[in-house]
Amino acid sequence: MVTKLDAYKGSQFVGKLVLADVEFFPELDKVNQLAAAQSLEIFITSSARQQGRRIGGAIVKPATFSNHLIGHAIDMNIRYDGTLYNSLKLRNSNFILLPPPIQTFITRIREDKTLRWGGDFNDPVHIDDGLNIRDRATWRKKYDIIQTDFLELTSSGTLPGKARILLLTEPLLFGKDVLAVQKALIEKGFDIDPDEVFGVEVDAAVTAFQEQENLTADGRVGPNTLKALGLPLS
């Protein structure tokens, strides 16, 4: 079992950044491919969640064993031909009124052996892989790992001797470690504001720097990127 919280980027995914367990990435690839085939944009409103953090705009009460807590779920709206289809438009009772491309997308999700569309359980903007039902023991193992990863992301110094992982997330990360990355990028020739906030501008600069250095260009500042920037790993 390989479990790690990381950022996922898909050609059809817009809106908020997708944070997910890397073992959920193949399922997200499926969603992305199905959306591309129907010329749809998946407008992300929520993905992996930290336990105890209040989520605004939720239309259903969070489940105790939510797949969001292990990075195996997304909440989304669908944008097609300039129109955004939200929870009211996507609900099951409106299915026959939806444009054919959206109907086809949802049907393909329903036909998949792993993916689940939340409209079948009163949450039409939700997609997951049902791991909380299929394998509760694995869910529990992943929960501990993913929630620890969240601590690394949100709390500098939570784990002694280990640098915090930096990436574009919601809410935005900030701190002296972000400032150090910004200053290092400025020294490398990038024109960014050293404001201690890891925003869209920093994400773009990090990604461009990684491409220059032949690193994985994912905008995620881990050990390899820190080393390339000449920054300490702890």
Side-chain angles (χ1 to χ4, degrees), residues 164 166 173-182 196-198:
R164 180 170 64 156
L166 300 175
L173 301 181
F174 65 92
K176 298 300 182 183
D177 50 353
V178 177
L179 178 61
V181 168
Q182 290 173 326
E196 298 191 17
V197 179
F198 199 106

Side-chain angles (χ1 to χ4, degrees), residues 18-233:
V18 177
L19 287 177
D21 175 16
V22 293
E23 284 197 334
F24 189 54
F25 278 20
E27 306 306 319
L28 293 173
D29 285 339
K30 288 185 198 174
V31 175
N32 190 66
Q33 291 163 10
L34 292 172
Q38 302 302 321
S39 299
L40 307 178
E41 285 187 318
I42 306 301
F43 195 93
I44 299 297
T45 58
S46 180
S47 52
R49 298 175 185 168
Q50 190 170 13
Q51 177 66 59
R53 182 178 162 200
R54 186 175 179 274
I55 302 297
I59 65 170
V60 297
K61 183 178 179 180
T64 301
F65 290 97
S66 169
N67 284 311
H68 283 290
L69 297 176
I70 61 166
H72 279 240
I74 56 171
D75 286 347
M76 51 85 213
N77 296 157
I78 298 175
R79 188 153 61 194
Y80 173 67
D81 197 24
T83 299
L84 192 68
Y85 292 80
N86 59 15
S87 59
L88 293 177
K89 293 179 179 179
L90 292 173
R91 60 189 178 185
N92 221 336
S93 59
N94 286 338
F95 183 81
I96 61 173
L97 303 177
L98 294 170
I102 297 181
Q103 290 187 26
T104 299
F105 171 77
I106 292 174
T107 298
R108 296 291 179 266
I109 295 291
R110 287 168 137 177
E111 291 173 346
D112 188 83
K113 293 181 179 180
T114 308
L115 292 171
R116 301 191 306 164
W117 174 52
D120 290 325
F121 43 90
N122 200 36
D123 192 0
V125 295
H126 178 93
I127 296 173
D128 70 18
D129 65 354
L131 187 62
N132 56 350
I133 295 172
R134 292 186 289 108
D135 191 343
R136 184 64 61 82
T138 296
W139 185 98
R140 291 179 186 277
K141 292 177 182 177
K142 285 185 174 291
Y143 173 85
D144 291 338
I145 297 169
I146 294 299
Q147 292 300 311
T148 298
D149 283 353
F150 262 119
L151 289 177
E152 289 187 54
L153 282 172
T154 58
S155 302
S156 179
T158 297
L159 299 180
K162 189 173 183 180
R164 180 170 64 156
I165 300 169
L166 300 175
L167 73 164
L168 184 64
T169 186
E170 178 66 32
L172 298 176
L173 301 181
F174 65 92
K176 298 300 182 183
D177 50 353
V178 177
L179 178 61
V181 168
Q182 290 173 326
K183 288 182 176 180
L185 287 168
I186 291 171
E187 291 179 1
K188 299 291 184 181
F190 292 91
D191 184 17
I192 57 176
D193 181 20
D195 59 1
E196 298 191 17
V197 179
F198 199 106
V200 174
E201 182 184 56
V202 180
D203 174 69
V206 168
T207 302
F209 173 73
Q210 290 169 327
E211 289 175 347
Q212 291 177 8
E213 298 295 315
N214 293 318
L215 299 171
T216 301
D218 57 5
R220 183 176 182 270
V221 181
N224 290 337
T225 301
L226 287 173
K227 183 178 180 179
L229 287 169
L231 296 173
L233 304 183

